[in-house]
Amino acid sequence: MSWHPAHGRHLRVGTLVLAVFLILAGGCATAPDPGDPEAVAEFNKVNDPAEPTNRAIFELNRSLDTAFLKPVATFYRDVIPQFFQDRINDALDNLRSPVIFLNDILQGELDRALATAARFMVNSTVGILGVIDIATEMGMEGHDEDFGQTLAVWGMPEGPYVVLPLFGPSNPRDTVGIVVDFLVDPFNLWASNSNRDFAVFARTGTRAVDLRAIHMEALDSLEKTSLDYYATLRSLYRQRRAEEISNGKGSANLPAPGLGQAPLDDGQPPPGNGIKTTEKASRIR
Amino acid sequence: MFNRRRFLAVLLGPAFIFVLALPPGGAFAAELEARAEAFIQSLSVDAVESLTQPDTSREERIKRFRRLFNAHFAVRSIGKFVLGRYWRKASKDEKKEYLSLFEDLMVVSYVDRFQRYAGKNLNILKTRAEKGSAVTVFTEIARAGGAKPVRVLWRIGARGEIIKILDVIVEGASMSQTLRSDFGSIIRRKGGKVSGLLEELRIKTASLKADAGN
């Protein structure tokens, strides 16, 4: 979040992140007994070969969150009036529009690209530099896109699960996505070309606080109720990404508990098969 | 003769494929869809009635939610699915304790979340019949302050008179899938032993029960 490859003086932060990464790297998940096909299948499905390293970075992120981000986000959520929180959220969403537009185009979604462009024009003018999301009021609902999703649409596999320092849950494909989105973002280009790097920091920092505040309640209850918070977030990250990549059409075809897998509640063997969804889950990219 | 046969094959082949590709059921499926829709509608009414009354102690709300949960969710099916391949490895006693702890965990972790949703407008968008007497009900639940509504999918199974929820998918995240990853990870870290999971479940449910809620 706090680095820019084009600038030498941010190299220090980059070096630090890399150092932490390297120190923690080296731990690999224990491979299962190759003679147990079920265990092997499970290991491949979990697809987290660097789990010990990922867990270490996860814990590091968690302590950074507890020390810095969460207190700020809590203050922001509880003290700043909702009206201003919404204005900040709208403005940040609007700033993302060019990147969303670009990814809409790259994914061949021309209708969605036009919708994004129209929203950007309305919100940047009538909506006073994006502070008020007038477009949604007018019935032009927004959507999100990023280069990680574009790569997925192009057929690139996600690769193994990775927890990035500061950024959290990811995978090689989404990591490339984060970097590309950062580099092509017109706002960032403008800021670095005019020596206004502080603007990038301010935007990124505000975004982090904004998102953390929005997800506070959900994350708190997940942390409280899950047995293994790390594994829960890993699963949720993948499910959410699959849903985003399919633009909200994928999850309806997830495999689910079915009558064939267990009786409803009476302990009797069930008739018929479990739920076989009409489309294969593997088609959710 | 040969030509005519070939002609028929060409003509009937696609028709046959078309029939196979049809959604299962027909009239039966339509009836099931209507039942599932009514079921979700009544669940949302029940939830409002039993969970949103003021001055109810958390203990009482947990009691009511447990009744609601057992009546509307296929607890055993979900529990079994969540345990995955380890279900077969568990002993009879372990299965019994697991199912009871699983119900406990679900009740105490969802009572507060469910209450937050109950009373908000639940809007049924569409239903879709699946294979094996199951239906997906697509809904939207309104949120306070004009925020975008939450998309919630309900996977419902039916057999005879029984109709129950098999999975809840919130904005693309399935409850059953997530729990399966969570529990599976614990078991692997406990050396593949279901008893290790039971231990963690006992601790977790006890601490959640003691929690004052929020």
Side-chain angles (χ1 to χ4, degrees):
Chain A
M1 232 167 253
S2 47
W3 56 277
H4 191 305
H7 282 258
R9 69 192 162 92
H10 298 144
L11 218 68
R12 264 172 300 157
V13 184
T15 317
L16 184 75
V17 168
L18 191 72
V20 172
F21 195 86
L22 287 177
I23 290 164
L24 295 167
C28 273
T30 344
D33 174 13
D36 184 349
E38 272 192 328
V40 173
E42 193 178 18
F43 183 80
N44 292 335
K45 191 164 179 274
V46 170
N47 191 14
D48 190 359
E51 184 167 337
T53 307
N54 283 337
R55 278 191 191 265
I57 298 173
F58 179 74
E59 288 309 324
L60 177 84
N61 286 344
R62 231 172 136 183
S63 43
L64 289 174
D65 175 58
T66 313
F68 305 108
L69 188 55
K70 198 177 174 185
V72 177
T74 308
F75 178 85
Y76 175 82
R77 183 194 62 172
D78 296 343
V79 176
I80 310 287
Q82 187 63 47
F83 176 81
F84 292 109
Q85 288 184 40
D86 290 346
R87 299 294 71 76
I88 289 169
N89 182 265
D90 286 354
L92 288 167
D93 279 351
N94 193 53
L95 269 187
R96 258 192 77 76
S97 297
V99 169
I100 298 173
F101 174 76
L102 194 67
N103 282 297
D104 283 333
I105 297 272
L106 292 175
Q107 291 175 29
E109 302 263 11
L110 293 186
D111 288 352
R112 282 162 70 92
L114 282 177
T116 305
R119 279 176 52 81
F120 185 63
M121 279 187 260
V122 170
N123 282 343
S124 302
T125 53
V126 188
I128 320 167
L129 293 176
V131 171
I132 305 162
D133 183 1
I134 290 278
T136 297
E137 305 284 321
M138 289 163 63
M140 295 192 275
E141 278 213 23
H143 62 260
D144 202 12
E145 281 299 348
D146 54 69
F147 195 66
Q149 294 185 48
T150 299
L151 288 174
V153 169
W154 290 353
M156 181 176 168
E158 62 178 339
Y161 184 68
V162 172
V163 180
L164 299 174
L166 301 180
F167 289 82
S170 193
N171 54 49
R173 185 176 67 197
D174 290 342
T175 307
V176 172
I178 293 170
V179 174
V180 171
D181 284 338
F182 185 88
L183 292 178
V184 301
D185 192 302
F187 179 87
N188 293 347
L189 289 174
W190 162 80
S192 69
N193 287 337
S194 58
N195 262 328
R196 287 189 182 89
D197 288 333
F198 66 90
V200 177
F201 285 107
R203 175 193 178 187
T204 312
T206 316
R207 188 52 156 184
V209 172
D210 167 61
L211 290 177
R212 186 68 181 89
I214 289 173
H215 295 112
M216 183 85 70
E217 211 175 43
L219 286 172
D220 280 353
S221 78
L222 274 176
E223 187 171 8
K224 209 166 74 180
T225 60
S226 59
L227 301 181
D228 186 342
Y229 189 40
Y230 171 86
T232 300
L233 286 186
R234 179 174 63 199
S235 170
L236 284 173
Y237 178 74
R238 288 209 180 109
Q239 293 185 58
R240 287 285 301 147
R241 286 304 281 170
E243 182 76 351
E244 283 166 2
I245 291 160
S246 71
N247 293 337
K249 293 180 194 98
S251 62
N253 300 316
L254 285 173
L259 312 183
Q261 277 150 327
L264 276 173
D265 60 354
D266 53 7
Q268 293 295 313
N273 295 317
I275 297 172
K276 302 262 167 50
T277 49
T278 41
E279 286 163 61
K280 274 193 201 138
S282 59
R283 300 238 313 248
I284 314 163
R285 285 192 297 185
Chain B
M1 184 64 199
F2 179 74
N3 271 343
R4 190 194 268 174
R5 228 208 216 137
R6 199 150 163 201
F7 174 75
L8 269 178
V10 168
L11 192 74
L12 290 180
F16 186 60
I17 290 164
F18 180 69
V19 168
L20 278 181
L22 273 181
F28 174 70
E31 189 212 312
L32 197 60
E33 282 178 29
R35 259 180 84 198
E37 219 169 281
F39 171 74
I40 287 298
Q41 201 63 263
S42 85
L43 168 67
S44 108
V45 173
D46 282 2
V48 174
E49 273 174 13
S50 62
L51 296 175
T52 57
Q53 287 162 6
D55 324 318
T56 322
S57 68
R58 184 163 187 265
E59 213 174 313
E60 175 61 24
R61 274 195 292 117
I62 288 179
K63 223 172 96 189
R64 290 182 188 174
F65 185 67
R66 187 183 297 276
R67 215 180 301 139
L68 200 75
F69 183 69
N70 279 317
H72 293 83
F73 286 75
V75 184
R76 194 183 152 89
S77 296
I78 301 169
K80 224 173 136 175
F81 176 84
V82 167
L83 204 53
R85 71 191 183 98
Y86 298 105
W87 176 259
R88 275 179 285 119
K89 299 190 173 174
S91 71
K92 210 176 165 196
D93 286 343
E94 282 176 338
K95 281 179 187 165
K96 207 176 149 209
E97 191 188 358
Y98 164 74
L99 284 173
S100 135
L101 283 170
F102 176 70
E103 180 196 309
D104 262 7
L105 179 76
M106 290 294 92
V107 170
V108 283
S109 25
Y110 280 94
V111 63
D112 300 318
R113 272 185 249 182
F114 232 73
Q115 192 199 10
R116 241 175 273 137
Y117 281 133
K120 301 275 168 29
N121 250 340
L122 178 131
N123 203 353
I124 295 179
L125 303 174
K126 63 169 178 174
T127 52
R128 189 182 73 186
E130 317 281 2
K131 279 181 190 165
S133 291
V135 178
T136 305
V137 180
F138 297 71
T139 69
E140 245 180 22
I141 298 177
R143 268 193 295 189
K148 237 180 157 183
V150 187
R151 283 183 306 115
V152 182
L153 271 54
W154 308 82
R155 197 57 76 74
I156 290 161
R159 187 165 85 249
E161 288 305 299
I162 305 168
I163 179 160
K164 293 201 169 192
I165 296 167
L166 294 166
D167 198 7
V168 184
I169 302 161
V170 181
E171 293 285 345
S174 142
M175 178 189 77
S176 310
Q177 296 286 341
T178 310
L179 286 166
R180 192 172 173 152
S181 306
D182 187 7
F183 287 16
S185 174
I186 290 284
I187 296 176
R188 275 195 307 282
R189 290 166 75 75
K190 298 275 182 182
K193 291 202 167 59
V194 175
S195 58
L197 172 69
L198 295 180
E199 207 175 289
E200 293 288 314
L201 276 172
R202 269 179 235 126
I203 297 169
K204 186 54 98 177
T205 48
S207 86
L208 284 171
K209 273 182 204 167
D211 196 88
N214 41 37

